[in-house]
Amino acid sequence: MLKLLIGNKNYSSWSLRPWILLRHFDIPFEELYISLNAANFADVVGRYNPALRVPVLIDGELAIWESIAICEYIAERFPQHAIWPRDATWRAQARVVSAEMHAGFAALRNHWPMNIRAILPGHPPEGQVKRDFERIAAIWHLALAESGGPFLFGEFSAADAMYAPVVTRFATYQVDLDFELQRYCDTVLGTPAMIQWSEAARAESEVLNDEGHEPYASPIPALRQA
Ligand SMILES: N[C@@H](CCC(=O)N[C@@H](CS)C(=O)NCC(=O)O)C(=O)O
């Protein structure tokens, strides 16, 4: 069976991507967990990934890291599932915007680190963060307009998995979204896989990065389930 090595569900945004993809498509896998703060993090992760990062997908003797590469591997390994859209044009577009996510938006990711169980209003986007936000908003608007939604390319795909941590950030930081973007976020937050991840994130007690402002009532998934 596949194994997926992940970090803290509250914080590890990269881990969420392949996890939600596998879970959404009901692909069985064993979850291996390591705290991002574990003293033996490098020892454990280094057994599979010389770059010392999670997530890592382990398939027998093969270990795959980098979330976008993991998505591609899952797509090849399980062709019965539309991991990428079946339509060739949409598939290309889904890969483009997923690559943009994988390679970019560093300012937004640094400004709004994933913290699922927190509510942290009062961090409006400015400067490069605002530019990242506007680019993501444009990507989502265009994809949703062309596909008709409810996910970016109609059905849930790897592109939605790649943007899922952004969705949680918008909830955590109470980002003011227009109707379409909010509806898309609510759709992602309302998927059984996302609810499962969020509940597990809320059940974690470890606080990283000296946050110094726990605990919070999480906006996810309770608000979104209403
Ligand atoms: N580009 C990588 C990023 C992976 C990454 O940065 N993972 C973080 C956790 S979300 C990590 O392992 N951090 C541990 C460290 O930097 O020591 C991917 O797509 O998987």
Side-chain angles (χ1 to χ4, degrees):
M1 191 195 292
L2 292 178
K3 294 181 181 148
L4 185 68
L5 177 60
I6 60 168
N8 308 55
K9 286 189 172 141
N10 191 53
Y11 299 109
S12 185
S13 58
W14 293 105
S15 297
L16 168 57
R17 294 172 167 99
W19 190 98
I20 193 174
L21 191 61
L22 289 167
R23 193 59 101 221
H24 183 88
F25 284 97
D26 269 332
I27 297 169
F29 66 100
E30 183 186 339
E31 184 179 305
L32 307 178
Y33 165 79
I34 175 107
S35 163
L36 297 177
N37 212 22
N40 62 346
F41 183 91
D43 289 341
V44 172
V45 178
R47 278 179 224 150
Y48 308 102
N49 175 7
L52 305 182
R53 297 274 193 277
V54 290
V56 186
L57 184 72
I58 301 144
D59 189 6
E61 296 297 303
L62 182 62
I64 304 114
W65 55 94
E66 291 297 325
S67 46
I68 193 80
I70 297 173
C71 291
E72 291 293 359
Y73 184 80
I74 295 168
E76 279 196 18
R77 179 87 156 63
F78 301 95
Q80 67 272 36
H81 297 301
I83 301 290
W84 295 110
R86 295 287 188 216
D87 177 87
T89 301
W90 286 5
R91 188 162 61 249
Q93 290 168 346
R95 282 192 161 117
V96 168
V97 300
S98 296
E100 272 195 66
M101 178 71 248
H102 188 256
F105 307 130
L108 183 146
R109 290 192 281 111
N110 291 334
H111 184 68
W112 290 327
M114 192 169 93
N115 189 342
I116 286 182
R117 62 175 177 253
I119 301 176
L120 299 165
H123 298 77
E126 284 161 8
Q128 186 56 45
V129 180
K130 190 157 181 282
R131 283 192 283 281
D132 283 355
F133 170 74
E134 285 167 356
R135 176 65 198 136
I136 290 173
I139 287 169
W140 289 5
H141 272 307
L142 187 63
L144 291 167
E146 281 192 14
S147 72
F151 295 100
L152 292 177
F153 297 93
E155 300 297 314
F156 185 96
S157 75
D160 301 288
M162 289 301 293
Y163 281 90
V166 174
V167 168
T168 77
R169 287 166 157 111
F170 287 171
T172 293
Y173 297 93
Q174 305 274 283
V175 179
D176 203 15
L177 301 173
D178 65 33
F179 177 79
E180 276 243 311
L181 299 184
Q182 189 60 58
R183 186 173 55 184
Y184 171 65
C185 288
D186 290 346
T187 301
V188 173
L189 293 173
T191 59
M194 191 66 238
I195 289 171
Q196 205 184 339
W197 175 281
S198 303
E199 283 175 350
R202 287 202 302 168
E204 290 176 349
S205 55
E206 192 176 19
V207 176
L208 299 189
N209 309 325
D210 290 328
E211 280 187 58
H213 44 52
E214 299 279 315
Y216 292 101
S218 172
I220 310 165
L223 187 76
R224 305 301 173 199
Q225 276 178 296

